[in-house]
Amino acid sequence: MEYTLESVESRIKTIVAKTLKIDTSNFGADTRLVEELGADSLDALTIAMDVDDEFGINVDDKELRRFNSCREIASAVLRHLQGRPASAGSVPA
Amino acid sequence: MYTKRVVVTGMGFVTPAGRTVPEFLQSIYQGKSGIKTIRHFDAAKFRTQLAATVENFDPGDLISEKDKSRLDRAAQMGIVAADKALKDAGLLTGETVPDSDEMGVVVGIATGSVHAVEKIYDESFNHHRAYGLGVPMAMCHSTAAHISIKFGLRGFTLTVSTACSSGATAIGMALRAIQSGDSKRLLAGGVDASITPSQLAIWDSLRVLSTCNSSPETAMKPFSKNRDGLVLGEGAVLLVLEELESAQARGARIYGEVAGYGSSSDGSHITRPSTHGEVLAMLRALESAGITPDRVDYINAHGTATPFNDKTETEALKQVFPNCRIPVSSIKPITGHMLGASSAAEFAAAILAVRDGLVPPTMNWQEEDPECDLDYVVEGPRKADLDIVMSNSFAFGGHNAVLVAKRVDGGLYGIHS
Protein backbone atom coordinates (compact mmCIF):
# COMPACT_ATOMS: atom_id res chain seq x y z
CA MET A 1 0.00 0.00 0.00
CA GLU A 2 1.28 3.44 -0.92
CA TYR A 3 1.24 5.99 1.79
CA THR A 4 1.31 9.70 1.14
CA LEU A 5 2.13 12.37 3.65
CA GLU A 6 -1.42 13.66 3.33
CA SER A 7 -3.07 10.29 3.93
CA VAL A 8 -0.87 9.59 6.97
CA GLU A 9 -1.49 13.09 8.32
CA SER A 10 -5.19 12.61 7.98
CA ARG A 11 -5.13 9.36 9.99
CA ILE A 12 -2.92 10.93 12.66
CA LYS A 13 -5.27 13.87 12.90
CA THR A 14 -8.07 11.40 13.62
CA ILE A 15 -6.00 9.80 16.40
CA VAL A 16 -5.09 13.18 17.90
CA ALA A 17 -8.69 14.34 17.76
CA LYS A 18 -9.88 11.17 19.48
CA THR A 19 -7.27 11.49 22.22
CA LEU A 20 -7.83 15.18 22.87
CA LYS A 21 -11.62 14.89 22.42
CA ILE A 22 -11.73 17.60 19.77
CA ASP A 23 -12.98 17.77 16.21
CA THR A 24 -10.53 17.29 13.33
CA SER A 25 -11.88 20.47 11.77
CA ASN A 26 -10.54 22.48 14.71
CA PHE A 27 -6.86 22.06 13.93
CA GLY A 28 -4.50 21.63 11.05
CA ALA A 29 -1.50 19.48 10.25
CA ASP A 30 0.84 22.17 11.57
CA THR A 31 -1.07 23.02 14.75
CA ARG A 32 1.22 22.72 17.78
CA LEU A 33 -0.17 19.90 19.89
CA VAL A 34 1.17 21.11 23.23
CA GLU A 35 1.16 24.87 22.86
CA GLU A 36 -2.05 25.23 20.89
CA LEU A 37 -4.10 22.15 21.78
CA GLY A 38 -2.99 21.69 25.37
CA ALA A 39 -1.75 18.11 24.99
CA ASP A 40 0.24 16.70 27.91
CA SER A 41 2.61 13.80 28.41
CA LEU A 42 -0.22 11.31 28.91
CA ASP A 43 -1.81 12.43 25.66
CA ALA A 44 1.54 11.98 23.90
CA LEU A 45 1.76 8.47 25.27
CA THR A 46 -1.76 7.62 24.13
CA ILE A 47 -1.15 9.10 20.68
CA ALA A 48 2.11 7.16 20.35
CA MET A 49 0.41 3.87 21.18
CA ASP A 50 -2.47 4.50 18.82
CA VAL A 51 -0.10 5.50 16.02
CA ASP A 52 1.79 2.23 16.50
CA ASP A 53 -1.44 0.27 16.31
CA GLU A 54 -2.76 2.21 13.34
CA PHE A 55 0.30 1.70 11.16
CA GLY A 56 1.63 -1.57 12.58
CA ILE A 57 4.95 -0.01 13.47
CA ASN A 58 6.87 0.44 16.68
CA VAL A 59 8.01 4.00 17.04
CA ASP A 60 10.06 4.75 20.12
CA ASP A 61 7.60 6.82 22.08
CA LYS A 62 10.36 9.05 23.40
CA GLU A 63 11.08 9.82 19.78
CA LEU A 64 7.43 10.49 19.00
CA ARG A 65 7.10 12.85 21.90
CA ARG A 66 9.64 15.13 20.29
CA PHE A 67 7.29 15.80 17.42
CA ASN A 68 4.85 18.55 18.00
CA SER A 69 2.41 18.51 15.12
CA CYS A 70 0.50 15.96 13.08
CA ARG A 71 2.78 16.74 10.14
CA GLU A 72 5.93 16.01 12.13
CA ILE A 73 4.46 12.75 13.42
CA ALA A 74 3.32 11.82 9.91
CA SER A 75 6.79 12.40 8.50
CA ALA A 76 8.30 10.15 11.16
CA VAL A 77 5.71 7.47 10.52
CA LEU A 78 6.38 7.61 6.78
CA ARG A 79 10.11 7.14 7.37
CA HIS A 80 9.30 4.12 9.54
CA LEU A 81 7.03 2.69 6.90
CA GLN A 82 9.76 3.12 4.35
CA GLY A 83 12.15 1.20 6.59
CA ARG A 84 14.19 4.07 7.86
CA PRO A 85 14.48 5.24 11.46
CA ALA A 86 12.56 8.40 12.13
CA SER A 87 15.61 10.48 12.91
CA ALA A 88 18.64 8.37 12.20
CA GLY A 89 21.67 9.20 14.25
CA SER A 90 19.82 11.14 16.94
CA VAL A 91 17.98 8.30 18.65
CA PRO A 92 20.07 6.18 21.02
CA ALA A 93 20.12 2.52 20.04
CA MET B 1 -7.91 15.21 75.37
CA TYR B 2 -8.77 17.27 72.32
CA THR B 3 -10.48 20.58 72.84
CA LYS B 4 -11.26 21.63 69.29
CA ARG B 5 -14.77 20.83 68.11
CA VAL B 6 -15.44 19.69 64.58
CA VAL B 7 -18.65 20.15 62.62
CA VAL B 8 -20.10 19.11 59.27
CA THR B 9 -20.89 22.07 57.03
CA GLY B 10 -21.34 20.40 53.64
CA MET B 11 -22.52 17.13 52.14
CA GLY B 12 -22.11 15.73 48.65
CA PHE B 13 -23.93 12.60 47.50
CA VAL B 14 -23.56 10.48 44.38
CA THR B 15 -25.48 7.40 45.44
CA PRO B 16 -28.14 4.98 44.21
CA ALA B 17 -30.33 6.53 46.92
CA GLY B 18 -30.06 10.10 45.69
CA ARG B 19 -27.65 12.78 44.56
CA THR B 20 -28.74 15.62 46.80
CA VAL B 21 -29.41 15.88 50.53
CA PRO B 22 -33.22 16.05 50.03
CA GLU B 23 -33.18 13.08 47.62
CA PHE B 24 -31.10 11.04 50.04
CA LEU B 25 -33.42 11.91 52.94
CA GLN B 26 -36.48 11.01 50.90
CA SER B 27 -34.98 7.62 50.00
CA ILE B 28 -33.96 6.60 53.51
CA TYR B 29 -37.15 7.80 55.21
CA GLN B 30 -39.60 6.66 52.54
CA GLY B 31 -37.80 3.41 51.85
CA LYS B 32 -37.00 4.05 48.19
CA SER B 33 -34.39 1.42 47.45
CA GLY B 34 -31.72 1.91 44.79
CA ILE B 35 -31.26 -1.85 44.40
CA LYS B 36 -32.18 -3.13 40.94
CA THR B 37 -31.47 -5.93 38.50
CA ILE B 38 -28.09 -5.44 36.85
CA ARG B 39 -28.49 -4.20 33.28
CA HIS B 40 -25.10 -2.78 32.34
CA PHE B 41 -23.54 -6.22 31.86
CA ASP B 42 -24.80 -9.77 31.60
CA ALA B 43 -25.09 -11.07 35.15
CA ALA B 44 -27.19 -14.13 34.28
CA LYS B 45 -24.44 -16.60 35.18
CA PHE B 46 -24.15 -15.33 38.74
CA ARG B 47 -26.26 -16.45 41.69
CA THR B 48 -26.88 -12.76 42.39
CA GLN B 49 -28.02 -10.47 39.62
CA LEU B 50 -28.64 -7.41 41.77
CA ALA B 51 -26.77 -4.20 42.50
CA ALA B 52 -27.39 -0.63 43.57
CA THR B 53 -25.80 1.43 40.83
CA VAL B 54 -25.70 5.15 40.15
CA GLU B 55 -27.68 5.05 36.93
CA ASN B 56 -26.86 7.37 34.05
CA PHE B 57 -23.96 8.85 35.97
CA ASP B 58 -22.56 11.75 33.98
CA PRO B 59 -20.30 14.38 35.49
CA GLY B 60 -21.31 16.74 32.69
CA ASP B 61 -19.11 19.78 32.24
CA LEU B 62 -17.42 19.29 35.59
CA ILE B 63 -14.97 16.84 34.01
CA SER B 64 -13.61 17.45 30.51
CA GLU B 65 -14.30 14.90 27.80
CA LYS B 66 -10.60 14.05 27.77
CA ASP B 67 -10.51 13.44 31.51
CA LYS B 68 -13.62 11.29 31.31
CA SER B 69 -11.50 8.81 29.37
CA ARG B 70 -8.60 9.10 31.80
CA LEU B 71 -10.28 8.94 35.19
CA ASP B 72 -11.69 5.84 36.78
CA ARG B 73 -15.41 5.90 37.55
CA ALA B 74 -14.57 6.15 41.26
CA ALA B 75 -12.51 9.29 40.72
CA GLN B 76 -15.27 10.84 38.60
CA MET B 77 -17.88 10.11 41.26
CA GLY B 78 -15.51 11.47 43.89
CA ILE B 79 -15.06 14.73 42.00
CA VAL B 80 -18.81 15.18 41.59
CA ALA B 81 -19.44 14.45 45.29
CA ALA B 82 -16.65 16.85 46.25
CA ASP B 83 -18.12 19.57 44.05
CA LYS B 84 -21.53 19.12 45.65
CA ALA B 85 -20.11 19.11 49.18
CA LEU B 86 -18.00 22.22 48.60
CA LYS B 87 -20.95 24.07 47.07
CA ASP B 88 -23.24 22.89 49.87
CA ALA B 89 -20.75 24.28 52.38
CA GLY B 90 -20.61 27.59 50.54
CA LEU B 91 -16.95 27.03 49.76
CA LEU B 92 -17.03 27.07 45.99
CA THR B 93 -17.51 30.32 44.19
CA GLY B 94 -16.72 29.81 40.54
CA GLU B 95 -13.87 27.34 40.63
CA THR B 96 -12.10 28.74 43.65
CA VAL B 97 -12.01 27.32 47.14
CA PRO B 98 -11.00 29.76 49.89
CA ASP B 99 -7.83 28.88 51.83
CA SER B 100 -7.23 26.05 49.37
CA ASP B 101 -3.58 25.81 50.43
CA GLU B 102 -4.84 24.73 53.83
CA MET B 103 -7.69 22.45 52.76
CA GLY B 104 -7.15 18.77 52.08
CA VAL B 105 -9.09 15.63 51.40
CA VAL B 106 -9.31 12.22 53.04
CA VAL B 107 -10.90 9.52 50.92
CA GLY B 108 -11.85 6.07 52.12
CA ILE B 109 -11.93 3.51 49.33
CA ALA B 110 -12.26 -0.23 49.71
CA THR B 111 -11.65 -1.69 46.28
CA GLY B 112 -9.69 0.98 44.40
CA SER B 113 -10.04 1.82 40.74
CA VAL B 114 -11.74 -1.36 39.63
CA HIS B 115 -12.97 -0.20 36.23
CA ALA B 116 -9.43 0.90 35.37
CA VAL B 117 -7.98 -2.41 36.47
CA GLU B 118 -10.44 -4.28 34.26
CA LYS B 119 -9.48 -2.04 31.34
CA ILE B 120 -5.78 -2.77 31.95
CA TYR B 121 -6.40 -6.52 31.99
CA ASP B 122 -8.53 -6.32 28.86
CA GLU B 123 -5.82 -4.42 27.00
CA SER B 124 -3.07 -6.72 28.30
CA PHE B 125 -4.71 -10.10 27.85
CA ASN B 126 -7.17 -9.56 25.02
CA HIS B 127 -5.37 -6.95 22.94
CA HIS B 128 -1.78 -7.70 23.94
CA ARG B 129 -0.79 -4.15 24.54
CA ALA B 130 0.07 -2.17 27.59
CA TYR B 131 -2.50 0.40 28.58
CA GLY B 132 -0.48 3.57 28.76
CA LEU B 133 -2.76 5.38 31.16
CA GLY B 134 -2.98 2.39 33.45
CA VAL B 135 -0.83 3.59 36.32
CA PRO B 136 -2.34 7.04 36.88
CA MET B 137 -5.84 5.70 36.30
CA ALA B 138 -5.66 2.62 38.51
CA MET B 139 -3.58 3.69 41.48
CA CYS B 140 -5.86 3.41 44.44
CA HIS B 141 -5.27 6.95 45.68
CA SER B 142 -6.17 8.48 42.32
CA THR B 143 -9.63 9.52 43.55
CA ALA B 144 -8.18 11.67 46.34
CA ALA B 145 -5.50 12.94 43.97
CA HIS B 146 -8.02 13.99 41.33
CA ILE B 147 -10.19 15.75 43.89
CA SER B 148 -7.19 17.74 45.11
CA ILE B 149 -6.18 18.51 41.52
CA LYS B 150 -9.68 19.53 40.43
CA PHE B 151 -10.24 21.96 43.28
CA GLY B 152 -6.62 22.98 43.90
CA LEU B 153 -6.66 21.59 47.43
CA ARG B 154 -3.09 21.56 48.67
CA GLY B 155 -3.51 20.56 52.28
CA PHE B 156 -3.33 17.18 53.97
CA THR B 157 -4.45 14.61 51.40
CA LEU B 158 -4.77 10.96 52.23
CA THR B 159 -6.39 7.73 51.06
CA VAL B 160 -7.41 5.15 53.62
CA SER B 161 -8.56 1.63 52.90
CA THR B 162 -10.26 -0.30 55.67
CA ALA B 163 -12.74 -2.18 53.49
CA CYS B 164 -16.36 -1.47 54.38
CA SER B 165 -15.45 1.00 57.11
CA SER B 166 -13.21 3.09 54.82
CA GLY B 167 -15.49 6.12 54.69
CA ALA B 168 -15.88 6.18 58.47
CA THR B 169 -12.14 5.80 58.93
CA ALA B 170 -11.58 8.71 56.55
CA ILE B 171 -13.98 10.88 58.55
CA GLY B 172 -12.27 9.74 61.75
CA MET B 173 -8.84 10.63 60.37
CA ALA B 174 -10.13 14.02 59.28
CA LEU B 175 -11.63 14.60 62.72
CA ARG B 176 -8.27 13.85 64.35
CA ALA B 177 -6.38 16.06 61.90
CA ILE B 178 -8.64 19.00 62.71
CA GLN B 179 -8.69 18.29 66.44
CA SER B 180 -4.91 18.16 66.53
CA GLY B 181 -4.63 21.51 64.77
CA ASP B 182 -3.01 20.07 61.62
CA SER B 183 -5.95 21.12 59.46
CA LYS B 184 -8.80 23.57 59.73
CA ARG B 185 -11.03 22.21 57.02
CA LEU B 186 -11.15 18.91 55.13
CA LEU B 187 -13.25 17.01 52.66
CA ALA B 188 -13.71 13.50 53.99
CA GLY B 189 -15.79 10.47 53.14
CA GLY B 190 -15.90 7.35 51.06
CA VAL B 191 -15.97 6.35 47.42
CA ASP B 192 -16.32 2.99 45.69
CA ALA B 193 -17.35 2.13 42.15
CA SER B 194 -16.93 -1.56 41.64
CA ILE B 195 -20.07 -3.00 40.09
CA THR B 196 -18.15 -4.85 37.39
CA PRO B 197 -18.23 -8.44 36.13
CA SER B 198 -15.05 -9.43 37.97
CA GLN B 199 -16.11 -7.86 41.25
CA LEU B 200 -19.57 -9.39 41.11
CA ALA B 201 -17.97 -12.77 40.36
CA ILE B 202 -15.71 -12.72 43.42
CA TRP B 203 -18.36 -11.36 45.78
CA ASP B 204 -20.83 -13.88 44.41
CA SER B 205 -18.43 -16.74 45.06
CA LEU B 206 -17.85 -15.51 48.62
CA ARG B 207 -21.52 -16.38 49.34
CA VAL B 208 -22.36 -13.14 51.11
CA LEU B 209 -24.72 -11.69 48.50
CA SER B 210 -28.48 -11.94 48.61
CA THR B 211 -29.98 -14.15 45.93
CA CYS B 212 -33.47 -12.63 46.10
CA ASN B 213 -33.25 -11.79 42.40
CA SER B 214 -36.99 -11.64 41.86
CA SER B 215 -37.47 -8.85 44.41
CA PRO B 216 -34.56 -6.40 44.16
CA GLU B 217 -35.95 -3.67 46.42
CA THR B 218 -36.67 -6.05 49.28
CA ALA B 219 -33.60 -8.25 48.80
CA MET B 220 -31.65 -6.93 51.79
CA LYS B 221 -33.39 -7.75 55.07
CA PRO B 222 -31.17 -6.64 57.96
CA PHE B 223 -31.89 -8.29 61.32
CA SER B 224 -34.76 -10.36 59.85
CA LYS B 225 -34.47 -14.11 60.38
CA ASN B 226 -34.83 -14.79 56.65
CA ARG B 227 -32.00 -12.39 55.70
CA ASP B 228 -29.72 -13.93 53.10
CA GLY B 229 -26.99 -11.39 52.49
CA LEU B 230 -26.08 -8.01 51.09
CA VAL B 231 -26.32 -6.39 47.68
CA LEU B 232 -23.34 -4.51 46.30
CA GLY B 233 -23.69 -0.81 45.67
CA GLU B 234 -21.53 2.01 44.40
CA GLY B 235 -21.30 5.67 45.19
CA ALA B 236 -19.43 8.60 46.63
CA VAL B 237 -20.28 10.51 49.77
CA LEU B 238 -18.06 13.36 50.89
CA LEU B 239 -18.53 15.73 53.80
CA VAL B 240 -16.92 19.05 54.61
CA LEU B 241 -15.53 18.89 58.12
CA GLU B 242 -14.24 22.01 59.78
CA GLU B 243 -13.31 23.44 63.08
CA LEU B 244 -16.34 24.90 64.81
CA GLU B 245 -14.78 28.35 65.24
CA SER B 246 -13.86 28.48 61.56
CA ALA B 247 -17.40 27.50 60.57
CA GLN B 248 -18.92 30.09 62.89
CA ALA B 249 -16.51 32.79 61.75
CA ARG B 250 -17.64 32.42 58.15
CA GLY B 251 -21.30 32.04 59.09
CA ALA B 252 -21.57 28.54 57.73
CA ARG B 253 -24.66 26.40 58.08
CA ILE B 254 -23.82 23.60 60.51
CA TYR B 255 -25.42 20.19 60.06
CA GLY B 256 -24.06 18.67 63.25
CA GLU B 257 -20.96 17.84 65.20
CA VAL B 258 -18.53 14.99 64.65
CA ALA B 259 -18.28 14.31 68.35
CA GLY B 260 -16.27 11.12 68.50
CA TYR B 261 -14.44 8.39 66.65
CA GLY B 262 -13.23 5.01 67.77
CA SER B 263 -11.51 2.24 65.89
CA SER B 264 -10.28 -1.24 66.64
CA SER B 265 -9.08 -4.41 65.01
CA ASP B 266 -10.64 -7.78 65.63
CA GLY B 267 -7.21 -9.37 65.42
CA SER B 268 -8.86 -12.68 64.67
CA HIS B 269 -10.22 -13.53 61.21
CA ILE B 270 -10.12 -11.96 57.76
CA THR B 271 -13.88 -12.13 57.11
CA ARG B 272 -15.64 -13.32 60.27
CA PRO B 273 -16.56 -10.42 62.58
CA SER B 274 -15.76 -10.47 66.29
CA THR B 275 -17.99 -9.15 69.03
CA HIS B 276 -14.96 -8.18 71.11
CA GLY B 277 -13.46 -5.98 68.38
CA GLU B 278 -16.78 -4.28 67.72
CA VAL B 279 -17.29 -3.59 71.42
CA LEU B 280 -13.83 -2.04 71.67
CA ALA B 281 -14.52 0.31 68.75
CA MET B 282 -17.87 1.44 70.17
CA LEU B 283 -16.43 2.05 73.65
CA ARG B 284 -13.52 4.02 72.19
CA ALA B 285 -15.89 6.15 70.13
CA LEU B 286 -17.98 6.95 73.20
CA GLU B 287 -14.85 7.72 75.23
CA SER B 288 -13.58 9.93 72.43
CA ALA B 289 -16.88 11.84 72.50
CA GLY B 290 -16.67 12.10 76.29
CA ILE B 291 -20.06 10.48 76.79
CA THR B 292 -21.46 7.45 78.56
CA PRO B 293 -23.50 4.76 76.74
CA ASP B 294 -26.76 5.91 78.33
CA ARG B 295 -26.61 9.17 76.38
CA VAL B 296 -26.87 7.48 72.97
CA ASP B 297 -30.29 8.08 71.43
CA TYR B 298 -30.05 6.10 68.19
CA ILE B 299 -27.58 3.71 66.55
CA ASN B 300 -27.12 3.57 62.80
CA ALA B 301 -26.00 -0.03 62.43
CA HIS B 302 -23.55 -1.62 60.04
CA GLY B 303 -26.50 -3.98 59.36
CA THR B 304 -25.34 -5.76 56.21
CA ALA B 305 -28.11 -8.39 56.32
CA THR B 306 -25.60 -11.22 56.30
CA PRO B 307 -26.53 -13.90 58.83
CA PHE B 308 -23.29 -13.44 60.75
CA ASN B 309 -22.90 -9.65 60.78
CA ASP B 310 -26.34 -8.86 62.15
CA LYS B 311 -26.08 -11.46 64.89
CA THR B 312 -22.58 -10.37 65.95
CA GLU B 313 -23.46 -6.68 65.84
CA THR B 314 -26.53 -7.32 67.99
CA GLU B 315 -24.39 -9.20 70.54
CA ALA B 316 -21.83 -6.40 70.58
CA LEU B 317 -24.52 -3.74 71.03
CA LYS B 318 -25.96 -5.62 73.99
CA GLN B 319 -22.54 -5.70 75.63
CA VAL B 320 -21.98 -1.97 75.23
CA PHE B 321 -25.58 -1.05 76.05
CA PRO B 322 -26.91 -3.49 78.69
CA ASN B 323 -30.69 -3.93 78.45
CA CYS B 324 -30.49 -1.96 75.23
CA ARG B 325 -33.72 -0.16 74.33
CA ILE B 326 -32.05 2.23 71.93
CA PRO B 327 -33.46 2.28 68.39
CA VAL B 328 -31.09 0.59 65.92
CA SER B 329 -31.52 0.71 62.15
CA SER B 330 -29.71 -0.04 58.93
CA ILE B 331 -30.12 2.02 55.75
CA LYS B 332 -28.26 -0.49 53.58
CA PRO B 333 -31.48 -1.93 52.05
CA ILE B 334 -31.87 1.51 50.45
CA THR B 335 -28.30 2.27 49.36
CA GLY B 336 -27.01 -1.26 48.86
CA HIS B 337 -23.60 -1.90 50.36
CA MET B 338 -21.57 0.85 48.72
CA LEU B 339 -18.44 -0.54 50.41
CA GLY B 340 -16.18 2.42 51.26
CA ALA B 341 -18.95 4.91 50.55
CA SER B 342 -21.55 3.24 52.77
CA SER B 343 -20.02 4.18 56.10
CA ALA B 344 -19.78 7.82 54.98
CA ALA B 345 -23.41 7.78 53.81
CA GLU B 346 -24.45 6.26 57.12
CA PHE B 347 -22.62 8.89 59.14
CA ALA B 348 -24.30 11.52 56.98
CA ALA B 349 -27.62 9.82 57.80
CA ALA B 350 -26.69 9.96 61.49
CA ILE B 351 -25.91 13.68 61.31
CA LEU B 352 -29.17 14.35 59.43
CA ALA B 353 -31.12 12.23 61.93
CA VAL B 354 -29.92 14.35 64.87
CA ARG B 355 -30.62 17.51 62.94
CA ASP B 356 -34.16 16.48 62.01
CA GLY B 357 -35.09 14.42 65.08
CA LEU B 358 -36.11 11.53 62.88
CA VAL B 359 -34.86 7.92 62.99
CA PRO B 360 -34.64 6.21 59.59
CA PRO B 361 -36.29 2.77 59.51
CA THR B 362 -34.84 -0.65 58.77
CA MET B 363 -36.68 -1.65 55.61
CA ASN B 364 -37.74 -5.17 54.61
CA TRP B 365 -37.74 -6.70 58.07
CA GLN B 366 -40.06 -9.72 57.98
CA GLU B 367 -39.30 -12.37 60.60
CA GLU B 368 -38.27 -12.28 64.21
CA ASP B 369 -34.86 -13.73 64.97
CA PRO B 370 -34.14 -14.68 68.59
CA GLU B 371 -30.51 -13.73 67.99
CA CYS B 372 -31.46 -10.27 66.74
CA ASP B 373 -33.81 -8.99 69.40
CA LEU B 374 -33.29 -5.23 69.56
CA ASP B 375 -35.56 -2.38 68.46
CA TYR B 376 -34.75 -2.16 64.75
CA VAL B 377 -37.31 0.54 63.88
CA VAL B 378 -39.06 -1.72 61.39
CA GLU B 379 -42.38 0.10 61.33
CA GLY B 380 -41.17 3.20 59.49
CA PRO B 381 -39.49 6.50 60.31
CA ARG B 382 -39.76 7.45 63.95
CA LYS B 383 -39.78 10.91 65.47
CA ALA B 384 -37.44 11.17 68.44
CA ASP B 385 -35.53 13.75 70.40
CA LEU B 386 -32.05 12.90 69.22
CA ASP B 387 -28.96 14.47 70.72
CA ILE B 388 -26.33 11.74 70.24
CA VAL B 389 -26.26 9.18 67.42
CA MET B 390 -23.69 6.45 66.91
CA SER B 391 -22.79 5.07 63.48
CA ASN B 392 -21.19 1.61 63.27
CA SER B 393 -19.00 0.23 60.51
CA PHE B 394 -17.46 -3.21 60.86
CA ALA B 395 -15.34 -4.32 57.96
CA PHE B 396 -13.56 -7.35 56.56
CA GLY B 397 -10.12 -7.66 58.05
CA GLY B 398 -11.68 -6.88 61.40
CA HIS B 399 -11.33 -3.15 60.75
CA ASN B 400 -13.94 -1.51 62.94
CA ALA B 401 -14.75 2.20 62.87
CA VAL B 402 -17.43 3.95 64.89
CA LEU B 403 -18.40 7.60 64.68
CA VAL B 404 -20.53 9.69 67.02
CA ALA B 405 -22.76 12.51 65.75
CA LYS B 406 -24.05 15.22 68.05
CA ARG B 407 -26.84 17.70 67.51
CA VAL B 408 -25.94 21.31 67.02
CA ASP B 409 -28.65 23.67 68.18
CA GLY B 410 -28.98 27.14 66.86
CA GLY B 411 -28.83 26.21 63.19
CA LEU B 412 -26.98 28.76 61.22
CA TYR B 413 -24.38 30.11 63.57
CA GLY B 414 -24.80 28.82 67.06
CA ILE B 415 -23.75 25.72 68.91
CA HIS B 416 -24.72 24.85 72.45
CA SER B 417 -23.51 21.92 74.46
Side-chain angles (χ1 to χ4, degrees):
Chain A
M1 180 177 173
E2 272 302 305
Y3 290 102
T4 64
L5 185 62
E6 289 71 28
S7 70
V8 174
E9 269 175 14
S10 166
R11 287 161 71 174
I12 288 170
K13 275 188 73 179
T14 304
I15 289 170
V16 167
K18 187 184 84 175
T19 304
L20 301 180
K21 309 286 180 198
I22 55 178
D23 196 277
T24 51
S25 63
N26 291 343
F27 64 103
D30 290 322
T31 305
R32 310 291 289 173
L33 303 182
V34 175
E35 293 88 342
E36 295 180 61
L37 297 181
D40 65 12
S41 60
L42 295 176
D43 295 321
L45 186 65
T46 308
I47 292 166
M49 290 172 58
D50 285 352
V51 166
D52 279 0
D53 282 358
E54 176 77 11
F55 296 100
I57 57 177
N58 189 9
V59 181
D60 182 336
D61 64 272
K62 285 183 190 153
E63 174 194 326
L64 255 188
R65 278 185 237 174
R66 286 203 292 270
F67 302 119
N68 205 6
S69 68
C70 292
R71 180 152 299 153
E72 289 179 22
I73 296 172
S75 301
V77 167
L78 265 183
R79 286 195 290 273
H80 262 265
L81 292 169
Q82 289 160 2
R84 287 184 284 130
S87 43
S90 66
V91 181
Chain B
M1 190 68 190
Y2 299 108
T3 54
K4 290 184 193 301
R5 297 175 66 180
V6 179
V7 292
V8 176
T9 57
M11 295 187 177
F13 292 90
V14 179
T15 79
R19 304 180 203 187
T20 63
V21 173
E23 280 178 16
F24 180 73
L25 286 172
Q26 190 181 29
S27 296
I28 63 172
Y29 288 116
Q30 295 181 10
K32 285 175 57 181
S33 177
I35 295 173
K36 292 182 180 170
T37 301
I38 291 173
R39 302 263 180 238
H40 63 289
F41 61 85
D42 181 9
K45 65 182 171 187
F46 301 116
R47 276 179 292 272
T48 296
Q49 291 133 27
L50 305 175
T53 58
V54 179
E55 294 183 318
N56 306 315
F57 170 69
D58 181 3
D61 295 340
L62 190 59
I63 299 175
S64 71
E65 288 305 312
K66 194 169 87 177
D67 276 347
K68 282 176 191 169
S69 65
R70 281 185 179 186
L71 271 60
D72 186 78
R73 184 172 170 91
Q76 296 191 35
M77 286 187 175
I79 286 175
V80 174
D83 181 71
K84 288 168 182 274
L86 289 168
K87 282 179 179 154
D88 190 46
L91 288 169
L92 199 58
T93 43
E95 292 190 353
T96 312
V97 176
D99 305 323
S100 57
D101 275 1
E102 310 304 323
M103 184 165 183
V105 54
V106 189
V107 170
I109 189 161
T111 59
S113 308
V114 171
H115 289 263
V117 170
E118 290 204 352
K119 169 92 174 156
I120 290 167
Y121 287 169
D122 180 54
E123 293 282 337
S124 294
F125 300 141
N126 298 328
H127 302 287
H128 303 287
R129 70 178 214 168
Y131 182 50
L133 303 179
V135 171
M137 196 172 183
M139 52 195 194
C140 69
H141 66 299
S142 65
T143 295
H146 280 298
I147 292 170
S148 79
I149 291 164
K150 175 70 187 175
F151 301 102
L153 306 180
R154 287 173 285 270
F156 161 75
T157 292
L158 178 69
T159 297
V160 297
S161 188
T162 61
C164 305
S165 59
S166 296
T169 305
I171 292 167
M173 292 293 104
L175 169 70
R176 292 282 182 266
I178 297 171
Q179 285 176 323
S180 70
D182 281 348
S183 299
K184 273 193 176 169
R185 200 179 287 147
L186 288 161
L187 269 169
V191 181
D192 256 292
S194 51
I195 313 294
T196 65
S198 69
Q199 284 290 311
L200 186 67
I202 57 176
W203 281 91
D204 196 57
S205 61
L206 198 61
R207 306 287 202 281
V208 293
L209 301 183
S210 169
T211 56
C212 297
N213 294 313
S214 58
S215 52
E217 295 191 355
T218 58
M220 281 185 74
K221 303 174 187 65
F223 305 109
S224 182
K225 190 168 186 197
N226 61 345
R227 64 190 182 274
D228 77 331
L230 58 91
V231 175
L232 289 175
E234 63 172 357
V237 177
L238 290 170
L239 309 180
V240 174
L241 266 59
E242 61 185 302
E243 193 190 344
L244 171 63
E245 285 175 15
S246 148
Q248 286 174 322
R250 68 183 188 87
R253 174 196 47 201
I254 294 168
Y255 280 103
E257 181 175 358
V258 192
Y261 163 66
S263 68
S264 74
S265 280
D266 288 347
S268 57
H269 191 274
I270 195 69
T271 55
R272 188 178 60 237
S274 137
T275 304
H276 182 57
E278 295 178 4
V279 167
L280 286 176
M282 286 191 267
L283 291 176
R284 287 169 186 163
L286 295 173
E287 187 185 352
S288 149
I291 57 168
T292 48
D294 58 293
R295 288 194 53 200
V296 175
D297 300 309
Y298 158 57
I299 296 152
N300 188 291
H302 188 52
T304 56
T306 64
F308 220 78
N309 173 83
D310 293 2
K311 172 181 160 224
T312 308
E313 185 168 12
T314 299
E315 281 171 17
L317 284 168
K318 288 199 274 194
Q319 287 185 26
V320 177
F321 305 96
N323 306 312
C324 178
R325 299 308 311 153
I326 304 168
V328 176
S329 69
S330 166
I331 63 166
K332 281 194 175 77
I334 305 304
T335 60
H337 194 340
M338 302 183 288
L339 305 179
S342 256
S343 48
E346 288 158 20
F347 183 66
I351 286 274
L352 293 165
V354 289
R355 185 194 67 169
D356 297 341
L358 199 57
V359 176
T362 301
M363 297 303 296
N364 308 336
W365 185 91
Q366 292 167 350
E367 278 183 48
E368 277 191 28
D369 179 349
E371 293 183 311
C372 296
D373 53 353
L374 299 176
D375 171 7
Y376 300 112
V377 197
V378 298
E379 76 284 0
R382 187 186 299 170
K383 282 188 180 171
D385 186 19
L386 304 177
D387 182 45
I388 303 275
V389 170
M390 202 169 79
S391 177
N392 285 344
S393 300
F394 304 135
F396 279 176
H399 289 18
N400 306 305
V402 176
L403 291 162
V404 177
K406 190 174 187 310
R407 185 172 67 206
V408 172
D409 291 324
L412 208 54
Y413 305 106
I415 185 166
H416 310 289
S417 292

